[in-house]
Amino acid sequence: MMDLSFSLDLSRLGQEEPRAEEKEETVRDLIIIGAGPAGLTAGIYAGRAQLEPLILVGKSLGGQAASTSEMENYPGFPEGVGGMALTEQMAAQATRFGAEIRYEEVTRVDLKVYPFLVETHDQTYRAKALIISTGTSPRPLGVPGERQFIGRGVSFCATCDGYFYRDKTVVVVGGGDSAVDEGLYLTRFAKEVIIVHRRDQLRASAILQKRAKANPKIRFVWNTVVDEVLGDTAVTGVRVHNVKTGEESIIPADGVFVYIGLVPNTRLFEGQLALDENGYIITDKHQRTNVPGVFAAGDVQDPWYRQTVIAAGTGAVAAIEAERFLAEKAYEEAEKTSHTEAQ
Ligand code: NAP
């Protein structure tokens, strides 16, 4: 059971001063780190609350959702919607309400000082409230050849790279929704999609399983794990072994798409925020972290569901709570000032 005891001692805030910074500092009411569905929805809500939030985008807008070829379960789109298109619309909606989106990767945060310190390569910001929505990244296989052939046959994004595998053979590793969904997407281009899974049962939802099993371009290789990605100038296949029989073999392929789960992007917050045993940020049902004024939303704090609609929902909660936090802070400050003036 995770520790969900939260210390909400607001008096701690403002006691420590940050180290001297050379870069110019701008103080914002709210900074949102990460621009997937959670961060962008938080931006829409905070924008409408007149907080003029700054959304710092890491590498690219939209997070994992943007690399999803087709979403069939996001409400309001009976025919489905592309992940990239959906998140671009969210970004447009956030900016319409006054959110500012900047493509700056955050390199360091200091949550012991207040206003919180947020550093990017070019800028130092201070934020009176923070929403962390840094999402997750694909988990790598960690086998020889994988890293070496990234961009030359190894990919973590079928939507981005599928097009390059027209009439080719690709291996998809994994048995969850992502592997099966993106495997199905790859059948638009590839002549054969080989799904290599370590068990003999898929984890993916029933509807995706049914579709994949009915697709003549998809072949399953069960009870099998990848030991090495093979290649010369580009990928030529994978060396695998059967976990039941121990038998080794080589599967020739032009591409390898890895979908074996996700890891939370929380390195920046290690030692500063309470994280669970897998590195996810621990939040309560108001999306509060253990540091008052710091909220987290989306996949970075959700090891359970990891759905776009849920990420968006937690982004909305985080923004509403950030607004309340700021209003309380402003009230406390006003009270303090009137007391001082009265003395
Ligand atoms: P996931 O559900 O965690 O599945 C990961 C898959 O990779 C599992 O089949 C797992 O095997 C396998 N795996 C894990 N580590 C491995 C390793 N070291 N070597 C080989 N195989 C390994 O991850 P996901 O598919 O990326 O999905 C993440 C979340 O996003 C889920 O909650 C999913 O429902 C959601 N999602 C939903 C949709 C949709 O609704 N259409 C689409 C994409 C993602 P085991 O099964 O043996 O554990």
Side-chain angles (χ1 to χ4, degrees):
M1 191 63 190
M2 283 179 224
D3 177 19
L4 282 173
S5 54
F6 287 82
S7 123
L8 286 173
D9 175 15
L10 296 179
S11 62
R12 191 175 71 72
L13 295 175
Q15 286 179 355
E16 289 181 60
E17 283 305 312
R19 63 174 196 182
E21 290 298 326
E22 283 166 13
K23 300 174 196 167
E24 196 195 331
E25 290 181 359
T26 339
V27 181
R28 312 285 296 226
D29 276 340
L30 176 64
I31 292 182
I32 299 168
I33 308 178
L40 294 171
T41 305
I44 295 168
Y45 275 71
R48 283 174 53 79
Q50 312 283 298
L51 296 180
E52 297 177 355
L54 170 64
I55 306 178
L56 294 173
V57 183
K59 289 189 176 65
S60 57
L61 193 88
Q64 286 294 310
S67 67
T68 305
S69 49
E70 184 82 1
M71 281 183 206
E72 291 185 336
N73 51 10
Y74 195 83
F77 296 90
E79 304 303 323
V81 59
M84 179 91 76
L86 180 68
T87 49
E88 279 172 358
Q89 294 282 45
M90 289 179 177
Q93 203 171 346
T95 33
R96 179 184 157 211
F97 293 117
E100 183 186 357
I101 297 178
R102 287 194 191 172
Y103 287 81
E104 290 180 38
E105 192 167 350
V106 175
T107 51
R108 190 175 85 92
V109 298
D110 190 343
L111 308 181
K112 293 188 188 72
V113 300
Y114 190 80
F116 307 114
L117 193 78
V118 178
E119 276 184 7
T120 68
H121 287 295
D122 311 315
Q123 273 282 357
T124 297
Y125 300 98
R126 299 289 216 100
K128 294 180 187 166
L130 260 188
I131 294 177
I132 298 164
S133 45
T134 45
T136 52
S137 294
R139 173 181 290 133
L141 282 164
V143 299
E146 181 189 39
R147 189 188 265 268
Q148 182 189 343
F149 288 109
I150 288 176
R152 289 187 293 147
V154 171
S155 172
F156 299 87
C157 178
T159 323
C160 322
D161 301 327
Y163 181 80
F164 301 112
Y165 295 90
R166 200 168 281 277
D167 297 323
K168 305 238 158 117
T169 297
V170 295
V171 161
V172 172
V173 191
D177 279 328
S178 300
V180 177
D181 215 1
E182 302 307 318
L184 277 161
Y185 175 75
L186 286 166
T187 61
R188 295 186 195 182
F189 312 100
K191 67 171 185 236
E192 188 181 24
V193 175
I194 305 164
I195 299 185
V196 176
H197 183 36
R198 65 182 177 183
R199 291 188 295 135
D200 60 1
Q201 270 185 348
L202 294 171
R203 180 178 292 276
S205 57
I207 188 167
L208 290 175
Q209 291 201 28
K210 201 171 155 195
R211 272 188 216 159
K213 285 175 182 168
N215 191 311
K217 281 191 175 179
I218 293 184
R219 174 161 73 90
F220 290 94
V221 177
W222 302 111
N223 298 313
T224 298
V225 294
V226 172
D227 296 319
E228 186 178 358
V229 176
L230 306 168
D232 35 51
T233 52
V235 165
T236 54
V238 285
R239 189 167 55 75
V240 298
H241 82 268
N242 184 300
V243 294
K244 292 252 160 96
T245 63
E247 194 188 334
E248 276 200 17
S249 58
I250 286 173
I251 303 175
D254 306 292
V256 181
F257 288 82
V258 182
Y259 285 109
I260 61 163
L262 303 160
V263 284
N265 297 322
T266 48
R267 199 183 43 78
L268 282 175
F269 313 107
E270 283 170 8
Q272 303 199 61
L273 286 180
L275 306 179
D276 76 6
E277 63 279 9
N278 296 314
Y280 287 86
I281 297 176
I282 299 175
T283 52
D284 67 3
K285 63 182 177 186
H286 300 278
Q287 303 309 132
R288 291 180 294 207
T289 69
N290 63 319
V291 175
V294 180
F295 304 84
D299 287 5
V300 74
Q301 52 83 62
D302 176 13
W304 305 285
Y305 304 110
R306 295 177 288 193
Q307 300 293 308
T308 303
V309 66
I310 295 174
T314 56
V317 173
I320 291 167
E321 292 294 340
E323 185 195 355
R324 287 186 184 155
F325 170 85
L326 289 167
E328 271 170 33
K329 254 341 238 165
Y331 178 76
E332 276 171 24
E333 291 301 318
E335 283 279 282
K336 234 188 270 170
T337 316
S338 66
H339 272 291
T340 321
E341 278 170 3
Q343 278 166 8

